[in-house]
Amino acid sequence: MKKAAPVKESGLQDMQSDNNSLDMASHMDFGLQRLLPFVAGYAKSEGHRNEVALVASLLILATAAHANGVSRDHLHRMVDTACPALMTTPETVQ
């Protein structure tokens, strides 16, 4: 398995945010139509349960966010905020 580039080499710290990029709703289509199916496809192709691949993905992304300055408290609040939006489309996480 290929290792991810260190944060300083990934370019994440150089990304400029704008008002739209900070709005969770602006990323829902990507998350629901591309990211979740990608993770589910990976799980299926590797013989893993969906929920295990989802948790692993969440931990990887949360770790990357934390390494880029997002606090644990902020991560927790973001999950709480995103959950109601995700629960309106349960077929996407099955």
Side-chain angles (χ1 to χ4, degrees):
M1 185 173 183
K2 193 174 177 183
K3 286 188 173 184
V7 172
K8 65 182 179 183
E9 296 174 17
S10 70
L12 290 174
Q13 74 280 0
D14 298 327
M15 293 177 66
Q16 298 295 317
S17 63
D18 57 33
N19 291 336
N20 190 42
S21 70
L22 299 176
D23 178 17
M24 178 67 180
S26 71
H27 302 289
M28 290 301 289
D29 285 344
F30 165 72
L32 298 175
Q33 295 176 11
R34 296 178 64 191
L35 186 59
L36 286 177
F38 180 80
V39 173
Y42 160 77
K44 184 177 181 179
S45 71
E46 297 295 320
H48 301 299
R49 295 186 346 231
N50 280 340
E51 61 270 24
V52 174
L54 286 167
V55 169
S57 299
L58 173 65
L59 293 174
I60 291 164
L61 294 170
T63 300
H66 187 62
N68 278 279
V70 179
S71 71
R72 290 178 181 175
D73 182 58
H74 196 160
L75 288 167
H76 186 258
R77 285 183 286 146
M78 287 189 295
V79 169
D80 287 347
T81 301
C83 284
L86 290 175
M87 293 304 118
T88 61
T89 55
E91 69 277 0
T92 61
V93 294
Q94 293 178 354

Short mmCIF file of all heavy atoms in Angstrom, two decimals, residues 22-61:
data_model
loop_
_atom_site.label_atom_id
_atom_site.label_comp_id
_atom_site.label_asym_id
_atom_site.label_seq_id
_atom_site.Cartn_x
_atom_site.Cartn_y
_atom_site.Cartn_z
N LEU A 22 -16.03 26.55 2.85
CA LEU A 22 -16.29 26.31 4.26
C LEU A 22 -17.73 25.88 4.53
O LEU A 22 -18.07 25.55 5.66
CB LEU A 22 -15.95 27.55 5.07
CG LEU A 22 -14.48 28.00 4.99
CD1 LEU A 22 -14.28 29.29 5.76
CD2 LEU A 22 -13.55 26.91 5.48
N ASP A 23 -18.55 25.86 3.52
CA ASP A 23 -19.96 25.49 3.66
C ASP A 23 -20.11 24.00 3.38
O ASP A 23 -19.86 23.53 2.28
CB ASP A 23 -20.80 26.30 2.68
CG ASP A 23 -22.27 25.96 2.72
OD1 ASP A 23 -22.73 25.33 3.70
OD2 ASP A 23 -22.97 26.31 1.76
N MET A 24 -20.52 23.22 4.39
CA MET A 24 -20.66 21.78 4.26
C MET A 24 -21.56 21.41 3.09
O MET A 24 -21.29 20.45 2.37
CB MET A 24 -21.21 21.20 5.58
CG MET A 24 -21.45 19.73 5.58
SD MET A 24 -19.90 18.83 5.48
CE MET A 24 -20.53 17.18 5.49
N ALA A 25 -22.63 22.16 2.89
CA ALA A 25 -23.56 21.85 1.81
C ALA A 25 -22.89 21.87 0.44
O ALA A 25 -23.27 21.12 -0.46
CB ALA A 25 -24.74 22.82 1.83
N SER A 26 -21.85 22.69 0.29
CA SER A 26 -21.17 22.77 -1.01
C SER A 26 -20.38 21.51 -1.32
O SER A 26 -19.97 21.30 -2.45
CB SER A 26 -20.27 24.01 -1.08
OG SER A 26 -19.14 23.84 -0.23
N HIS A 27 -20.17 20.65 -0.32
CA HIS A 27 -19.39 19.43 -0.51
C HIS A 27 -20.24 18.16 -0.45
O HIS A 27 -19.71 17.06 -0.63
CB HIS A 27 -18.30 19.34 0.55
CG HIS A 27 -17.38 20.50 0.53
ND1 HIS A 27 -16.47 20.72 -0.49
CD2 HIS A 27 -17.24 21.54 1.40
CE1 HIS A 27 -15.80 21.84 -0.24
NE2 HIS A 27 -16.26 22.35 0.89
N MET A 28 -21.53 18.29 -0.20
CA MET A 28 -22.38 17.12 -0.05
C MET A 28 -22.44 16.27 -1.31
O MET A 28 -22.37 15.04 -1.22
CB MET A 28 -23.79 17.52 0.39
CG MET A 28 -23.85 18.03 1.83
SD MET A 28 -23.28 16.83 3.06
CE MET A 28 -24.61 15.65 2.99
N ASP A 29 -22.57 16.88 -2.48
CA ASP A 29 -22.61 16.09 -3.71
C ASP A 29 -21.34 15.26 -3.87
O ASP A 29 -21.41 14.08 -4.21
CB ASP A 29 -22.81 16.98 -4.94
CG ASP A 29 -24.23 17.48 -5.06
OD1 ASP A 29 -25.14 16.92 -4.40
OD2 ASP A 29 -24.44 18.44 -5.82
N PHE A 30 -20.18 15.88 -3.65
CA PHE A 30 -18.92 15.15 -3.73
C PHE A 30 -18.91 13.98 -2.75
O PHE A 30 -18.60 12.85 -3.11
CB PHE A 30 -17.73 16.07 -3.46
CG PHE A 30 -16.46 15.31 -3.19
CD1 PHE A 30 -15.79 14.66 -4.21
CD2 PHE A 30 -15.94 15.25 -1.89
CE1 PHE A 30 -14.63 13.94 -3.95
CE2 PHE A 30 -14.78 14.54 -1.63
CZ PHE A 30 -14.12 13.88 -2.67
N GLY A 31 -19.28 14.26 -1.51
CA GLY A 31 -19.24 13.23 -0.49
C GLY A 31 -20.18 12.07 -0.76
O GLY A 31 -19.81 10.91 -0.64
N LEU A 32 -21.40 12.41 -1.15
CA LEU A 32 -22.42 11.38 -1.34
C LEU A 32 -22.35 10.68 -2.69
O LEU A 32 -22.66 9.50 -2.80
CB LEU A 32 -23.81 11.97 -1.13
CG LEU A 32 -24.07 12.52 0.28
CD1 LEU A 32 -25.43 13.21 0.34
CD2 LEU A 32 -23.97 11.42 1.32
N GLN A 33 -21.94 11.40 -3.73
CA GLN A 33 -21.94 10.82 -5.07
C GLN A 33 -20.59 10.24 -5.49
O GLN A 33 -20.54 9.39 -6.37
CB GLN A 33 -22.40 11.85 -6.10
CG GLN A 33 -23.84 12.26 -5.89
CD GLN A 33 -24.27 13.36 -6.84
OE1 GLN A 33 -23.57 13.69 -7.79
NE2 GLN A 33 -25.41 13.95 -6.59
N ARG A 34 -19.50 10.70 -4.86
CA ARG A 34 -18.19 10.22 -5.28
C ARG A 34 -17.40 9.56 -4.16
O ARG A 34 -16.84 8.48 -4.33
CB ARG A 34 -17.40 11.38 -5.87
CG ARG A 34 -18.07 11.91 -7.15
CD ARG A 34 -17.37 13.07 -7.75
NE ARG A 34 -16.03 12.72 -8.22
CZ ARG A 34 -15.14 13.59 -8.60
NH1 ARG A 34 -15.42 14.87 -8.58
NH2 ARG A 34 -13.94 13.21 -9.00
N LEU A 35 -17.31 10.22 -2.99
CA LEU A 35 -16.47 9.72 -1.91
C LEU A 35 -17.02 8.43 -1.30
O LEU A 35 -16.30 7.43 -1.20
CB LEU A 35 -16.29 10.79 -0.84
CG LEU A 35 -15.32 10.46 0.29
CD1 LEU A 35 -13.93 10.17 -0.25
CD2 LEU A 35 -15.27 11.60 1.29
N LEU A 36 -18.29 8.43 -0.88
CA LEU A 36 -18.86 7.22 -0.29
C LEU A 36 -18.87 6.04 -1.26
O LEU A 36 -18.50 4.93 -0.87
CB LEU A 36 -20.26 7.49 0.26
CG LEU A 36 -20.31 8.29 1.56
CD1 LEU A 36 -21.75 8.57 1.96
CD2 LEU A 36 -19.57 7.58 2.67
N PRO A 37 -19.27 6.23 -2.52
CA PRO A 37 -19.19 5.10 -3.44
C PRO A 37 -17.76 4.59 -3.65
O PRO A 37 -17.53 3.39 -3.80
CB PRO A 37 -19.78 5.65 -4.76
CG PRO A 37 -20.68 6.74 -4.32
CD PRO A 37 -20.00 7.36 -3.12
N PHE A 38 -16.79 5.50 -3.62
CA PHE A 38 -15.38 5.09 -3.76
C PHE A 38 -14.97 4.22 -2.58
O PHE A 38 -14.36 3.16 -2.76
CB PHE A 38 -14.48 6.33 -3.85
CG PHE A 38 -13.02 5.97 -3.99
CD1 PHE A 38 -12.50 5.59 -5.21
CD2 PHE A 38 -12.19 5.99 -2.89
CE1 PHE A 38 -11.16 5.25 -5.34
CE2 PHE A 38 -10.85 5.65 -3.00
CZ PHE A 38 -10.33 5.27 -4.23
N VAL A 39 -15.31 4.64 -1.37
CA VAL A 39 -14.97 3.87 -0.18
C VAL A 39 -15.70 2.53 -0.19
O VAL A 39 -15.11 1.48 0.11
CB VAL A 39 -15.27 4.66 1.12
CG1 VAL A 39 -15.09 3.80 2.35
CG2 VAL A 39 -14.40 5.91 1.19
N ALA A 40 -16.98 2.53 -0.57
CA ALA A 40 -17.74 1.28 -0.63
C ALA A 40 -17.16 0.35 -1.70
O ALA A 40 -17.08 -0.87 -1.48
CB ALA A 40 -19.21 1.58 -0.93
N GLY A 41 -16.75 0.90 -2.83
CA GLY A 41 -16.12 0.08 -3.87
C GLY A 41 -14.81 -0.52 -3.41
O GLY A 41 -14.52 -1.69 -3.68
N TYR A 42 -14.02 0.27 -2.69
CA TYR A 42 -12.78 -0.24 -2.11
C TYR A 42 -13.08 -1.38 -1.15
O TYR A 42 -12.45 -2.44 -1.21
CB TYR A 42 -12.02 0.88 -1.39
CG TYR A 42 -11.02 0.36 -0.39
CD1 TYR A 42 -9.80 -0.16 -0.81
CD2 TYR A 42 -11.32 0.34 0.97
CE1 TYR A 42 -8.89 -0.68 0.10
CE2 TYR A 42 -10.42 -0.17 1.89
CZ TYR A 42 -9.21 -0.68 1.45
OH TYR A 42 -8.32 -1.20 2.35
N ALA A 43 -14.05 -1.18 -0.26
CA ALA A 43 -14.41 -2.21 0.73
C ALA A 43 -14.82 -3.50 0.03
O ALA A 43 -14.35 -4.59 0.38
CB ALA A 43 -15.52 -1.71 1.64
N LYS A 44 -15.65 -3.38 -0.97
CA LYS A 44 -16.12 -4.57 -1.69
C LYS A 44 -14.99 -5.28 -2.41
O LYS A 44 -14.84 -6.48 -2.32
CB LYS A 44 -17.22 -4.17 -2.69
CG LYS A 44 -17.82 -5.34 -3.42
CD LYS A 44 -18.95 -4.91 -4.34
CE LYS A 44 -19.54 -6.12 -5.03
NZ LYS A 44 -20.66 -5.75 -5.89
N SER A 45 -14.15 -4.51 -3.09
CA SER A 45 -13.06 -5.12 -3.87
C SER A 45 -12.00 -5.78 -2.99
O SER A 45 -11.35 -6.73 -3.41
CB SER A 45 -12.41 -4.09 -4.79
OG SER A 45 -11.64 -3.17 -4.04
N GLU A 46 -11.86 -5.30 -1.76
CA GLU A 46 -10.85 -5.84 -0.85
C GLU A 46 -11.44 -6.81 0.18
O GLU A 46 -10.71 -7.36 1.01
CB GLU A 46 -10.13 -4.70 -0.12
CG GLU A 46 -9.37 -3.77 -1.02
CD GLU A 46 -8.20 -4.45 -1.74
OE1 GLU A 46 -7.52 -5.29 -1.10
OE2 GLU A 46 -7.99 -4.17 -2.93
N GLY A 47 -12.75 -7.03 0.11
CA GLY A 47 -13.41 -7.96 1.02
C GLY A 47 -13.59 -7.44 2.44
O GLY A 47 -13.66 -8.21 3.39
N HIS A 48 -13.69 -6.12 2.59
CA HIS A 48 -13.90 -5.51 3.90
C HIS A 48 -15.37 -5.11 4.05
O HIS A 48 -16.05 -4.85 3.06
CB HIS A 48 -13.04 -4.26 4.08
CG HIS A 48 -11.58 -4.51 3.95
ND1 HIS A 48 -10.89 -5.36 4.78
CD2 HIS A 48 -10.67 -4.02 3.07
CE1 HIS A 48 -9.62 -5.38 4.45
NE2 HIS A 48 -9.45 -4.58 3.40
N ARG A 49 -15.83 -5.02 5.29
CA ARG A 49 -17.17 -4.50 5.54
C ARG A 49 -17.16 -3.00 5.29
O ARG A 49 -16.17 -2.32 5.57
CB ARG A 49 -17.59 -4.81 6.98
CG ARG A 49 -17.74 -6.29 7.24
CD ARG A 49 -18.30 -6.63 8.61
NE ARG A 49 -18.32 -5.58 9.58
CZ ARG A 49 -17.83 -5.67 10.81
NH1 ARG A 49 -17.26 -6.77 11.22
NH2 ARG A 49 -17.92 -4.65 11.65
N ASN A 50 -18.27 -2.48 4.78
CA ASN A 50 -18.37 -1.04 4.49
C ASN A 50 -18.05 -0.19 5.70
O ASN A 50 -17.33 0.80 5.60
CB ASN A 50 -19.77 -0.68 3.99
CG ASN A 50 -19.98 -1.00 2.53
OD1 ASN A 50 -19.04 -1.16 1.77
ND2 ASN A 50 -21.23 -1.12 2.14
N GLU A 51 -18.62 -0.55 6.87
CA GLU A 51 -18.44 0.30 8.05
C GLU A 51 -16.98 0.35 8.50
O GLU A 51 -16.52 1.37 9.02
CB GLU A 51 -19.37 -0.11 9.20
CG GLU A 51 -19.18 -1.51 9.70
CD GLU A 51 -20.04 -2.57 9.00
OE1 GLU A 51 -20.45 -2.36 7.85
OE2 GLU A 51 -20.28 -3.61 9.63
N VAL A 52 -16.23 -0.72 8.27
CA VAL A 52 -14.81 -0.72 8.65
C VAL A 52 -14.04 0.22 7.72
O VAL A 52 -13.21 1.02 8.18
CB VAL A 52 -14.23 -2.16 8.60
CG1 VAL A 52 -12.74 -2.14 8.85
CG2 VAL A 52 -14.94 -3.04 9.62
N ALA A 53 -14.32 0.15 6.42
CA ALA A 53 -13.65 1.05 5.47
C ALA A 53 -14.05 2.50 5.72
O ALA A 53 -13.22 3.41 5.60
CB ALA A 53 -13.98 0.64 4.04
N LEU A 54 -15.30 2.74 6.10
CA LEU A 54 -15.75 4.09 6.40
C LEU A 54 -15.06 4.65 7.63
O LEU A 54 -14.61 5.80 7.63
CB LEU A 54 -17.27 4.13 6.59
CG LEU A 54 -18.11 4.00 5.33
CD1 LEU A 54 -19.57 3.73 5.68
CD2 LEU A 54 -17.97 5.22 4.45
N VAL A 55 -14.95 3.86 8.68
CA VAL A 55 -14.28 4.32 9.90
C VAL A 55 -12.80 4.58 9.62
O VAL A 55 -12.25 5.59 10.06
CB VAL A 55 -14.47 3.32 11.06
CG1 VAL A 55 -13.57 3.66 12.24
CG2 VAL A 55 -15.93 3.30 11.50
N ALA A 56 -12.16 3.67 8.88
CA ALA A 56 -10.75 3.88 8.54
C ALA A 56 -10.57 5.17 7.75
O ALA A 56 -9.66 5.96 8.01
CB ALA A 56 -10.22 2.68 7.74
N SER A 57 -11.46 5.42 6.80
CA SER A 57 -11.40 6.66 6.01
C SER A 57 -11.61 7.88 6.88
O SER A 57 -10.89 8.88 6.75
CB SER A 57 -12.46 6.63 4.90
OG SER A 57 -12.24 5.54 4.03
N LEU A 58 -12.57 7.81 7.79
CA LEU A 58 -12.82 8.92 8.70
C LEU A 58 -11.60 9.21 9.55
O LEU A 58 -11.20 10.37 9.70
CB LEU A 58 -14.02 8.60 9.61
CG LEU A 58 -14.28 9.60 10.73
CD1 LEU A 58 -14.68 10.95 10.17
CD2 LEU A 58 -15.33 9.06 11.68
N LEU A 59 -10.97 8.17 10.08
CA LEU A 59 -9.79 8.37 10.91
C LEU A 59 -8.63 8.97 10.12
O LEU A 59 -7.91 9.84 10.62
CB LEU A 59 -9.38 7.06 11.57
CG LEU A 59 -10.36 6.52 12.61
CD1 LEU A 59 -9.93 5.15 13.08
CD2 LEU A 59 -10.49 7.48 13.77
N ILE A 60 -8.45 8.50 8.91
CA ILE A 60 -7.38 9.05 8.05
C ILE A 60 -7.64 10.52 7.76
O ILE A 60 -6.74 11.37 7.90
CB ILE A 60 -7.27 8.23 6.75
CG1 ILE A 60 -6.74 6.83 7.05
CG2 ILE A 60 -6.39 8.95 5.72
CD1 ILE A 60 -6.97 5.83 5.93
N LEU A 61 -8.86 10.86 7.38
CA LEU A 61 -9.19 12.25 7.06
C LEU A 61 -9.16 13.14 8.30
O LEU A 61 -8.68 14.28 8.24
CB LEU A 61 -10.56 12.32 6.37
CG LEU A 61 -10.61 11.67 4.99
CD1 LEU A 61 -12.06 11.58 4.50
CD2 LEU A 61 -9.74 12.42 4.00
#
